[in-house]
Amino acid sequence: MEAWFHGIAADARQFKGHLGVSTIRPQDHSHPEYVVILKFDRYDNLKAWLESGVRHEWLERLQPLIEEPEAIQTLTGLETWFTLPNKTIKAPPPKYKMALVTWLGVFVTLAVVSRLLAPLLSNLPILLNQLITTGLVVALLTYLIMPYLTRFFKRWLYSKL
């Protein structure tokens, strides 16, 4: 497996937009699963790699070592906020749509949280005030607001999929 990983990593480096490759090795023998993480600068460059003959040749060499088919997850950054429960999405929403929904979420959450916390935090130094406020906003966005907005806007976000 290690020899295979080093070989595919070397070939992946030759592709346009390649930003790096890393692996998460199994911690124990009861779960002998490897995770290979490839980074590309753009989705189109990643797609070229995923559909390449070079990659398919490497996957053929791997067949004797695998127990289950590969699972591919494509992440570009913000899309971790745009996952739908029990849905496998092949491509994230367009970046402009993610940016608009994120802006809406940040704007509303920051406006409400800063207003509610103002009386409690007004005597603190400004940086500490901002640290607490932005920390709460990020937590709310990650666990409450963005999952709700993603479900609410799912038809618009994933209209082309």
PDB file of all heavy atoms in Angstrom, residues 7-8 11-12 15 49 51-59 61:
ATOM      1  N   GLY A   7       3.657   6.040  -5.457  1.00  0.00           N
ATOM      2  CA  GLY A   7       3.590   6.077  -6.916  1.00  0.00           C
ATOM      3  C   GLY A   7       2.467   6.954  -7.430  1.00  0.00           C
ATOM      4  O   GLY A   7       2.664   7.789  -8.323  1.00  0.00           O
ATOM      5  N   ILE A   8       1.265   6.802  -6.869  1.00  0.00           N
ATOM      6  CA  ILE A   8       0.131   7.608  -7.334  1.00  0.00           C
ATOM      7  C   ILE A   8       0.337   9.077  -6.968  1.00  0.00           C
ATOM      8  O   ILE A   8      -0.019   9.969  -7.727  1.00  0.00           O
ATOM      9  CB  ILE A   8      -1.222   7.066  -6.821  1.00  0.00           C
ATOM     10  CG1 ILE A   8      -2.375   7.691  -7.626  1.00  0.00           C
ATOM     11  CG2 ILE A   8      -1.385   7.267  -5.342  1.00  0.00           C
ATOM     12  CD1 ILE A   8      -3.725   7.073  -7.367  1.00  0.00           C
ATOM     13  N   ASP A  11       2.609  10.651  -9.558  1.00  0.00           N
ATOM     14  CA  ASP A  11       1.909  10.923 -10.812  1.00  0.00           C
ATOM     15  C   ASP A  11       0.890  12.057 -10.672  1.00  0.00           C
ATOM     16  O   ASP A  11       0.710  12.855 -11.589  1.00  0.00           O
ATOM     17  CB  ASP A  11       1.228   9.654 -11.335  1.00  0.00           C
ATOM     18  CG  ASP A  11       2.202   8.725 -12.036  1.00  0.00           C
ATOM     19  OD1 ASP A  11       3.373   9.125 -12.256  1.00  0.00           O
ATOM     20  OD2 ASP A  11       1.807   7.589 -12.373  1.00  0.00           O
ATOM     21  N   ALA A  12       0.214  12.142  -9.532  1.00  0.00           N
ATOM     22  CA  ALA A  12      -0.764  13.212  -9.317  1.00  0.00           C
ATOM     23  C   ALA A  12      -0.088  14.578  -9.350  1.00  0.00           C
ATOM     24  O   ALA A  12      -0.668  15.557  -9.830  1.00  0.00           O
ATOM     25  CB  ALA A  12      -1.490  13.006  -7.994  1.00  0.00           C
ATOM     26  N   PHE A  15      -0.073  16.666 -12.591  1.00  0.00           N
ATOM     27  CA  PHE A  15      -1.299  17.215 -13.153  1.00  0.00           C
ATOM     28  C   PHE A  15      -1.449  18.703 -12.816  1.00  0.00           C
ATOM     29  O   PHE A  15      -1.064  19.150 -11.728  1.00  0.00           O
ATOM     30  CB  PHE A  15      -2.516  16.436 -12.646  1.00  0.00           C
ATOM     31  CG  PHE A  15      -2.781  15.196 -13.448  1.00  0.00           C
ATOM     32  CD1 PHE A  15      -1.944  14.091 -13.337  1.00  0.00           C
ATOM     33  CD2 PHE A  15      -3.844  15.138 -14.334  1.00  0.00           C
ATOM     34  CE1 PHE A  15      -2.167  12.961 -14.080  1.00  0.00           C
ATOM     35  CE2 PHE A  15      -4.071  14.008 -15.087  1.00  0.00           C
ATOM     36  CZ  PHE A  15      -3.235  12.910 -14.966  1.00  0.00           C
ATOM     37  N   TRP A  49      -7.964  15.045 -13.166  1.00  0.00           N
ATOM     38  CA  TRP A  49      -7.226  13.975 -12.496  1.00  0.00           C
ATOM     39  C   TRP A  49      -8.128  12.755 -12.264  1.00  0.00           C
ATOM     40  O   TRP A  49      -7.751  11.630 -12.555  1.00  0.00           O
ATOM     41  CB  TRP A  49      -6.643  14.468 -11.177  1.00  0.00           C
ATOM     42  CG  TRP A  49      -6.268  13.349 -10.255  1.00  0.00           C
ATOM     43  CD1 TRP A  49      -6.907  12.975  -9.117  1.00  0.00           C
ATOM     44  CD2 TRP A  49      -5.182  12.430 -10.412  1.00  0.00           C
ATOM     45  NE1 TRP A  49      -6.290  11.902  -8.554  1.00  0.00           N
ATOM     46  CE2 TRP A  49      -5.220  11.533  -9.343  1.00  0.00           C
ATOM     47  CE3 TRP A  49      -4.173  12.277 -11.360  1.00  0.00           C
ATOM     48  CZ2 TRP A  49      -4.304  10.515  -9.176  1.00  0.00           C
ATOM     49  CZ3 TRP A  49      -3.249  11.258 -11.196  1.00  0.00           C
ATOM     50  CH2 TRP A  49      -3.321  10.384 -10.119  1.00  0.00           C
ATOM     51  N   GLU A  51     -10.681  11.717 -13.802  1.00  0.00           N
ATOM     52  CA  GLU A  51     -11.080  11.034 -15.037  1.00  0.00           C
ATOM     53  C   GLU A  51      -9.893  10.566 -15.870  1.00  0.00           C
ATOM     54  O   GLU A  51     -10.075  10.007 -16.945  1.00  0.00           O
ATOM     55  CB  GLU A  51     -11.972  11.966 -15.863  1.00  0.00           C
ATOM     56  CG  GLU A  51     -13.285  12.273 -15.155  1.00  0.00           C
ATOM     57  CD  GLU A  51     -14.116  13.335 -15.858  1.00  0.00           C
ATOM     58  OE1 GLU A  51     -13.630  13.938 -16.857  1.00  0.00           O
ATOM     59  OE2 GLU A  51     -15.255  13.558 -15.417  1.00  0.00           O
ATOM     60  N   SER A  52      -8.683  10.774 -15.378  1.00  0.00           N
ATOM     61  CA  SER A  52      -7.485  10.456 -16.169  1.00  0.00           C
ATOM     62  C   SER A  52      -7.216   8.956 -16.252  1.00  0.00           C
ATOM     63  O   SER A  52      -7.541   8.186 -15.354  1.00  0.00           O
ATOM     64  CB  SER A  52      -6.255  11.154 -15.574  1.00  0.00           C
ATOM     65  OG  SER A  52      -5.866  10.514 -14.369  1.00  0.00           O
ATOM     66  N   GLY A  53      -6.589   8.572 -17.344  1.00  0.00           N
ATOM     67  CA  GLY A  53      -6.151   7.198 -17.515  1.00  0.00           C
ATOM     68  C   GLY A  53      -5.090   6.812 -16.507  1.00  0.00           C
ATOM     69  O   GLY A  53      -5.038   5.664 -16.045  1.00  0.00           O
ATOM     70  N   VAL A  54      -4.233   7.775 -16.149  1.00  0.00           N
ATOM     71  CA  VAL A  54      -3.168   7.521 -15.165  1.00  0.00           C
ATOM     72  C   VAL A  54      -3.780   7.085 -13.844  1.00  0.00           C
ATOM     73  O   VAL A  54      -3.366   6.087 -13.245  1.00  0.00           O
ATOM     74  CB  VAL A  54      -2.287   8.785 -14.980  1.00  0.00           C
ATOM     75  CG1 VAL A  54      -1.311   8.613 -13.838  1.00  0.00           C
ATOM     76  CG2 VAL A  54      -1.584   9.136 -16.265  1.00  0.00           C
ATOM     77  N   ARG A  55      -4.770   7.826 -13.380  1.00  0.00           N
ATOM     78  CA  ARG A  55      -5.432   7.488 -12.111  1.00  0.00           C
ATOM     79  C   ARG A  55      -6.105   6.128 -12.207  1.00  0.00           C
ATOM     80  O   ARG A  55      -6.006   5.312 -11.288  1.00  0.00           O
ATOM     81  CB  ARG A  55      -6.450   8.551 -11.747  1.00  0.00           C
ATOM     82  CG  ARG A  55      -7.180   8.249 -10.448  1.00  0.00           C
ATOM     83  CD  ARG A  55      -8.192   9.342 -10.110  1.00  0.00           C
ATOM     84  NE  ARG A  55      -9.000   8.940  -8.997  1.00  0.00           N
ATOM     85  CZ  ARG A  55     -10.096   8.183  -9.095  1.00  0.00           C
ATOM     86  NH1 ARG A  55     -10.524   7.772 -10.262  1.00  0.00           N
ATOM     87  NH2 ARG A  55     -10.786   7.856  -8.021  1.00  0.00           N
ATOM     88  N   HIS A  56      -6.777   5.865 -13.315  1.00  0.00           N
ATOM     89  CA  HIS A  56      -7.464   4.576 -13.473  1.00  0.00           C
ATOM     90  C   HIS A  56      -6.473   3.405 -13.479  1.00  0.00           C
ATOM     91  O   HIS A  56      -6.771   2.340 -12.936  1.00  0.00           O
ATOM     92  CB  HIS A  56      -8.338   4.583 -14.726  1.00  0.00           C
ATOM     93  CG  HIS A  56      -9.538   5.467 -14.571  1.00  0.00           C
ATOM     94  ND1 HIS A  56     -10.593   5.153 -13.745  1.00  0.00           N
ATOM     95  CD2 HIS A  56      -9.827   6.669 -15.104  1.00  0.00           C
ATOM     96  CE1 HIS A  56     -11.491   6.126 -13.783  1.00  0.00           C
ATOM     97  NE2 HIS A  56     -11.053   7.064 -14.600  1.00  0.00           N
ATOM     98  N   GLU A  57      -5.297   3.614 -14.056  1.00  0.00           N
ATOM     99  CA  GLU A  57      -4.260   2.573 -14.025  1.00  0.00           C
ATOM    100  C   GLU A  57      -3.822   2.288 -12.584  1.00  0.00           C
ATOM    101  O   GLU A  57      -3.656   1.128 -12.191  1.00  0.00           O
ATOM    102  CB  GLU A  57      -3.048   2.994 -14.857  1.00  0.00           C
ATOM    103  CG  GLU A  57      -3.269   2.929 -16.345  1.00  0.00           C
ATOM    104  CD  GLU A  57      -2.073   3.472 -17.122  1.00  0.00           C
ATOM    105  OE1 GLU A  57      -0.949   3.512 -16.566  1.00  0.00           O
ATOM    106  OE2 GLU A  57      -2.275   3.851 -18.288  1.00  0.00           O
ATOM    107  N   TRP A  58      -3.639   3.360 -11.803  1.00  0.00           N
ATOM    108  CA  TRP A  58      -3.239   3.177 -10.408  1.00  0.00           C
ATOM    109  C   TRP A  58      -4.329   2.459  -9.617  1.00  0.00           C
ATOM    110  O   TRP A  58      -4.041   1.634  -8.750  1.00  0.00           O
ATOM    111  CB  TRP A  58      -2.884   4.515  -9.767  1.00  0.00           C
ATOM    112  CG  TRP A  58      -1.498   4.951 -10.100  1.00  0.00           C
ATOM    113  CD1 TRP A  58      -1.120   5.935 -10.964  1.00  0.00           C
ATOM    114  CD2 TRP A  58      -0.289   4.388  -9.592  1.00  0.00           C
ATOM    115  NE1 TRP A  58       0.239   6.024 -11.024  1.00  0.00           N
ATOM    116  CE2 TRP A  58       0.787   5.083 -10.188  1.00  0.00           C
ATOM    117  CE3 TRP A  58       0.005   3.372  -8.691  1.00  0.00           C
ATOM    118  CZ2 TRP A  58       2.117   4.792  -9.917  1.00  0.00           C
ATOM    119  CZ3 TRP A  58       1.327   3.080  -8.412  1.00  0.00           C
ATOM    120  CH2 TRP A  58       2.369   3.778  -9.026  1.00  0.00           C
ATOM    121  N   LEU A  59      -5.586   2.775  -9.908  1.00  0.00           N
ATOM    122  CA  LEU A  59      -6.679   2.101  -9.202  1.00  0.00           C
ATOM    123  C   LEU A  59      -6.742   0.616  -9.557  1.00  0.00           C
ATOM    124  O   LEU A  59      -7.070  -0.218  -8.709  1.00  0.00           O
ATOM    125  CB  LEU A  59      -8.016   2.787  -9.499  1.00  0.00           C
ATOM    126  CG  LEU A  59      -8.173   4.189  -8.918  1.00  0.00           C
ATOM    127  CD1 LEU A  59      -9.519   4.782  -9.296  1.00  0.00           C
ATOM    128  CD2 LEU A  59      -7.996   4.177  -7.407  1.00  0.00           C
ATOM    129  N   ARG A  61      -4.162  -1.238 -10.223  1.00  0.00           N
ATOM    130  CA  ARG A  61      -3.074  -1.859  -9.458  1.00  0.00           C
ATOM    131  C   ARG A  61      -3.468  -2.086  -7.998  1.00  0.00           C
ATOM    132  O   ARG A  61      -2.954  -2.967  -7.330  1.00  0.00           O
ATOM    133  CB  ARG A  61      -1.817  -0.978  -9.485  1.00  0.00           C
ATOM    134  CG  ARG A  61      -1.179  -0.863 -10.839  1.00  0.00           C
ATOM    135  CD  ARG A  61       0.032   0.043 -10.746  1.00  0.00           C
ATOM    136  NE  ARG A  61       0.437   0.478 -12.068  1.00  0.00           N
ATOM    137  CZ  ARG A  61       1.391   1.338 -12.303  1.00  0.00           C
ATOM    138  NH1 ARG A  61       2.074   1.868 -11.314  1.00  0.00           N
ATOM    139  NH2 ARG A  61       1.697   1.685 -13.536  1.00  0.00           N
TER     140      ARG A  61
END
